[in-house]
């Protein structure tokens, strides 16, 4: 650090202190104030599921549909 000079060294220490304290301070602020946390998390839909579609037919229903189609083809 002696090659940087004292003013640049102090600037680097100050920047490092800001980079460390800002995230810790924000985390402390939001973790201790649950209303803020709920307000922020309530505004964003994190998981959005698509609307539910009708279920596909079961294997038994598919077999019955195939039998009906085969009967129509055989009689017609």
């Amino acid at each position: 650090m002696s090659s940087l000079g004292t003013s640049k060294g102090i600037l680097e220490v100050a920047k490092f202190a800001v980079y460390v304290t800002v995230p810790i301070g924000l985390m402390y602020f939001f973790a201790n104030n649950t209303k803020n946390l709920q307000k922020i998390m309530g505004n964003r839909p994190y998981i959005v599921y698509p609307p539910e579609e009708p279920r596909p037919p079961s294997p038994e229903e598919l077999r019955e549909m195939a039998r009906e189609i085969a009967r129509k083809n055989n009689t017609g």
Side-chain angles (χ1 to χ4, degrees):
M1 192 140 85
S2 63
S3 65
L4 291 175
T6 57
S7 63
K8 288 185 180 180
I10 293 172
L11 178 63
E12 291 297 320
V13 170
K15 285 196 311 187
F16 181 75
V18 169
Y19 291 154
V20 170
T21 56
V22 167
I24 292 173
L26 289 174
M27 188 175 59
Y28 179 77
F29 175 72
F30 286 112
N32 284 333
N33 195 350
T34 56
K35 289 182 182 179
N36 284 340
L37 188 63
Q38 289 174 355
K39 184 170 63 172
I40 288 174
M41 292 188 69
N43 289 339
R44 300 182 187 275
Y46 287 99
I47 299 175
V48 178
Y49 294 105
E52 192 166 331
E53 297 286 327
R55 298 222 181 252
S58 67
E60 294 82 22
E61 291 173 339
L62 288 173
R63 286 187 199 105
E64 186 60 38
M65 291 166 68
R67 286 185 194 123
E68 289 177 16
I69 292 172
R71 280 186 213 135
K72 286 181 183 176
N73 289 340
N74 288 339
T75 59

